[in-house]
């Protein structure tokens, strides 16, 4: 198993399962960690609350973020990540269900690196990963 | 006014019918020192008082505290028109109404204050947004799940292992049920803001007993201790109030799921012309940081694996309460329980003896 992690922040278990299947079928090497709401996502990333035992320096290679989440929504999660020096540079890809202009513009304004439509298509995911320059990291190609 | 004796001639009409009382917007004439010289029927109606009760003092300092300083500043500069207020939103009051105020100079050093009630329009706009989001985002999720899992099953053409096939079929069934429930809730949202059709004395205690009996019927294995105080009477539409209580009791029941026993208490008292109800559960509770979003459509506090429904129940309950002239607020403590405070109109005095 790769030591790279992809964090999926998604409250819909069907969408989480479809993402898991897409990545499994593509034999993606990274470990997929799924958290179900915005507050838990911040606990995971900042190694606090029920994730207090986690090493806070061990950040995922990439975060896949649904915008509509219980407790804290995706925008609030983004604001918290961008406000913290440790997570400011973390690549975040927003999962969207629509191409409504508001979603896209508001997300880029909050420092989103890219976005993909649900259900997550592995091919699209790879394109996005290339586009933000993380191909080798996520797919665990030799670092040469 | 409509009950007045028929008018005999036009000049009598001019003398006896007060035109400003015929207008739908709230209107008042203010003197430069702030005292109110006159207020119309519509304005009294907005605050539920007789227009005469607003006259003879600076009623805006009590009724419009958020704008009183600006109103006084504009009055102090009369008759100059540059300091007047135009279409200024009145800061939110507890009733959740949307009021808009305009103040402009009138003759002889007085000013005309106009208050528009935009609540109906704002409620419709919010409802439209809820419907658009519900359809474009919330309904799309189960449709996507059905489409994707069915496609996978078909692609495997019978070769899928039985466990995976069963998992996919269960997801399809669950998503269909969720979509159906969501459609019902969206329809309820469209109807929840209707004003009461025929307000009457409603026995809240009886409705509470009835709904709790229904909840126990659908979940017969659960131990439950339910205390509903007798003689709680509200004034409103019985159907809407049953729906409102149903949402809150269903919520209390659902979030008591991890307890050995469901404990629910409904009591309250009449305070003036209001009925103040308390609905307490001993369920899981929630962090008060999230209290604001509790009544906002689709702003869930729990994920789908964790008791979340379609995300509209409490938003509909709040809409119903407001349409009945009341409102709901909430206090909660994680792992201790939640209390909903429901304020509703009480039975008017002349009807109080009837039940």
């Amino acid at each position: 198993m790769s030591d790279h992690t992809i964090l999926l922040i998604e409250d819909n278990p069907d969408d989480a399962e479809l993402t898991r299947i897409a990545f499994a079928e593509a034999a993606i090497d990274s470990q997929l960690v799924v958290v179900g709401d915005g507050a838990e996502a911040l606990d995971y990333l900042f190694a606090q609350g029920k994730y207090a035992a986690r090493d806070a320096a061990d950040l995922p290679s990439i975060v896949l973020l649904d915008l509509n989440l219980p407790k804290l929504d995706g925008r609030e999660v983004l604001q918290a990540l961008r406000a913290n020096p440790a997570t400011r540079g973390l690549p975040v890809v927003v999962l969207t269900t629509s191409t409504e202009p508001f979603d896209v513009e508001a997300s880029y304004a909050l420092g989103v690196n890219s976005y993909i439509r649900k259900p997550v298509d592995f091919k699209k995911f790879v394109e996005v990963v290339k586009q933000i320059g993380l191909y080798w990291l996520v797919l665990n190609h030799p670092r040469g | 006014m409509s009950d007045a004796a028929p008018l005999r001639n036009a000049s009598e009409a001019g003398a006896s019918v007060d035109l400003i009382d015929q207008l739908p917007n709230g209107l008042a004439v203010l003197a430069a020192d702030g005292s109110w010289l006159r207020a119309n029927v519509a304005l009294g109606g907005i605050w539920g008082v007789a227009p005469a009760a607003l006259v003879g003092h600076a009623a805006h300092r009590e009724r419009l505290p958020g704008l009183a300083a600006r109103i006084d500043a504009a009055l102090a500069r009369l008759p100059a028109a540059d300091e007047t207020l135009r279409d200024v939103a009145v800061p939110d009051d507890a009733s959740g109404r949307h009021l808009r105020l305009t103040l402009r100079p009138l003759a002889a050093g007085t000013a005309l204050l106009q208050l528009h009630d935009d609540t109906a329009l704002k409620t419709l706009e919010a409802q439209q947004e809820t419907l658009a989001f519900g359809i474009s985002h919330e309904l799309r999720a189960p449709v996507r799940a059905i489409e994707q899992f069915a496609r996978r099953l078909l692609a495997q053409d019978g070769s899928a292992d039985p466990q995976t096939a069963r998992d996919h079929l269960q997801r399809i069934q669950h998503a269909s049920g969720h979509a159906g429930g969501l459609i019902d809730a969206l329809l309820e949202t469209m109807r929840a803001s209707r004003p009461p059709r025929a307000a009457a004395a409603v026995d809240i205690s009886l409705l509470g007993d009835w709904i709790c009996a229904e909840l126990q019927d659908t979940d017969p294995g659960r131990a439950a201790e339910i205390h509903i105080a007798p003689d709680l009477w509200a004034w409103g539409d019985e159907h809407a109030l049953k729906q409102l209580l149903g949402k809150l009791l269903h919520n209390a029941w659902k979030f008591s799921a991890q307890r050995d026993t469901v404990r629910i208490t409904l009591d309250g008292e009449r305070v003036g012309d209001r009925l103040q109800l308390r609905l307490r559960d001993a369920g899981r509770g929630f962090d008060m940081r999230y209290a604001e979003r509790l009544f906002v459509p689709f702003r869930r506090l729990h994920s789908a694996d964790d008791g979340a429904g379609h995300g509209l129940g409490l938003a509909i309950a709040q809409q119903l309460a407001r349409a009945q002239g009341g409102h709901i607020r909430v206090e909660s403590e994680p792992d201790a329980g939640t209390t909903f405070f429901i304020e509703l109109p009480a039975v008017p005095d002349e009807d109080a003896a009837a039940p």
Side-chain angles (χ1 to χ4, degrees):
Chain A
M1 177 177 292
S2 159
D3 52 354
H4 300 302
T5 302
I6 297 171
L7 178 66
L8 171 63
I9 310 173
E10 169 64 78
D11 68 314
N12 183 319
D14 291 328
D15 284 331
E17 176 66 6
L18 288 167
T19 306
R20 196 193 60 74
I21 291 171
F23 285 8
E25 287 183 350
I28 189 163
D29 215 8
S30 299
Q31 189 195 352
L32 187 72
V33 174
V34 184
V35 296
D37 70 60
E40 190 184 346
L42 293 184
D43 283 353
Y44 180 89
L45 289 166
F46 298 141
Q48 62 194 20
K50 78 178 203 189
Y51 294 100
R54 233 180 58 79
D55 176 7
D58 178 22
L59 289 170
S61 313
I62 194 164
V63 175
L64 298 178
L65 174 68
D66 185 15
L67 285 184
N68 297 285
L69 292 166
K71 297 198 176 111
L72 300 177
D73 75 15
R75 294 162 192 84
E76 291 164 303
V77 171
L78 268 170
Q79 277 161 354
L81 292 185
R82 294 313 180 222
N84 188 314
T87 52
R88 187 169 294 152
L90 199 59
V92 176
V93 175
V94 158
L95 303 177
T96 170
T97 51
S98 61
T99 49
E100 279 172 56
F102 168 76
D103 264 6
V104 176
E105 282 166 26
S107 302
Y108 283 128
L110 284 169
V112 161
N113 300 77
S114 191
Y115 68 96
I116 356 181
R117 289 185 75 164
K118 291 204 272 186
V120 174
D121 173 349
F122 178 73
K123 286 191 205 104
K124 291 267 172 54
F125 176 71
V126 170
E127 276 169 32
V128 164
V129 161
K130 278 182 184 162
Q131 173 197 319
I132 58 181
L134 278 174
Y135 189 67
W136 61 273
L137 192 62
V138 171
L139 300 181
N140 202 28
H141 284 196
R143 294 178 196 204
Chain B
M1 291 148 288
S2 53
D3 295 336
L7 298 164
R8 270 159 289 173
N9 58 54
S11 74
E12 189 177 332
S16 64
V17 176
D18 208 329
L19 288 175
I20 82 165
D21 281 333
Q22 305 297 317
L23 297 172
N25 292 328
L27 295 169
V29 180
L30 278 63
D33 68 356
S35 68
W36 288 36
L37 304 173
R38 135 117 264 231
N40 75 342
V41 169
L43 190 58
I46 287 174
W47 289 314
V49 298
L54 299 167
V55 172
H57 55 104
H60 55 285
R61 290 175 200 155
E62 176 200 346
R63 299 282 170 181
L64 299 161
L67 291 177
R70 291 179 67 184
I71 294 171
D72 282 329
L75 292 172
R77 287 171 175 261
L78 284 175
D82 57 325
E83 283 292 320
T84 55
L85 304 164
R86 179 186 293 248
D87 288 330
V88 181
V90 176
D92 270 350
D93 60 1
S95 65
R97 280 181 313 184
H98 296 268
L99 302 174
R100 180 162 50 92
L101 180 141
T102 294
L103 186 78
R104 62 167 66 103
L106 214 57
T110 61
L112 178 71
L113 179 150
Q114 295 182 54
L115 208 53
H116 299 258
D117 191 342
D118 292 332
T119 309
L121 183 65
K122 296 279 181 192
T123 304
L124 270 178
E125 283 174 2
Q127 209 173 71
Q128 232 174 22
E129 252 173 67
T130 302
L131 293 177
F133 186 84
I135 293 165
S136 70
H137 182 271
E138 297 285 328
L139 197 53
R140 198 165 276 180
V143 169
R144 184 170 60 240
I146 292 166
E147 203 267 333
Q148 291 291 316
F149 287 110
R151 181 202 292 261
R152 288 183 52 78
L153 279 173
L154 285 170
Q156 287 163 339
D157 200 19
S159 69
D161 77 90
Q163 210 182 334
T164 305
R166 191 175 167 74
D167 169 84
H168 288 11
L169 286 170
Q170 276 172 339
R171 285 177 189 273
I172 289 169
Q173 186 185 39
H174 181 264
S176 312
H178 180 76
L182 183 60
I183 289 168
D184 290 342
L186 288 169
L187 290 172
E188 270 186 77
T189 298
M190 291 172 69
R191 296 176 189 133
S193 298
R194 286 184 190 165
R197 274 159 298 186
V202 176
D203 187 344
I204 296 292
S205 308
L206 178 70
L207 290 182
D209 283 332
W210 180 1
I211 295 159
C212 288
E214 286 177 345
L215 285 168
Q216 283 176 298
D217 276 352
T218 56
D219 198 359
R222 298 282 290 140
E225 279 177 23
I226 291 167
H227 298 285
I228 295 181
D231 287 326
L232 301 169
W233 290 88
W235 184 255
D237 180 319
E238 183 173 30
H239 178 75
L241 290 174
K242 178 171 189 250
Q243 217 187 338
L244 186 167
L245 273 183
K247 301 278 175 214
L248 297 180
L249 285 167
H250 182 259
N251 189 77
W253 188 276
K254 182 167 75 175
F255 290 109
S256 298
Q258 87 285 27
R259 304 278 190 235
D260 296 336
T261 304
V262 180
R263 288 195 172 78
I264 294 174
T265 308
L266 175 65
D267 57 17
E269 61 271 319
R270 184 185 178 126
V271 179
D273 59 357
R274 310 293 280 173
L275 177 69
Q276 314 266 14
L277 294 168
R278 282 177 301 272
L279 174 61
R280 265 185 295 249
D281 68 58
R284 63 195 295 178
F286 63 87
D287 188 327
M288 281 299 281
R289 269 187 297 170
Y290 307 123
E292 249 177 55
R293 60 193 68 187
L294 203 64
F295 297 108
V296 179
F298 303 121
R299 298 297 301 269
R300 300 175 180 87
L301 296 190
H302 304 280
S303 58
D305 287 339
D306 198 21
H310 40 60
L312 284 172
L314 293 178
I316 292 173
Q318 182 70 284
Q319 262 183 291
L320 288 163
R322 290 203 161 135
Q324 302 297 310
H327 60 91
I328 307 172
R329 62 185 182 83
V330 68
E331 279 175 19
S332 190
E333 196 184 320
D335 298 321
T338 300
T339 304
F340 285 100
F341 297 88
I342 311 139
E343 187 180 310
L344 293 169
V347 179
D349 280 329
E350 61 269 27
D351 291 84

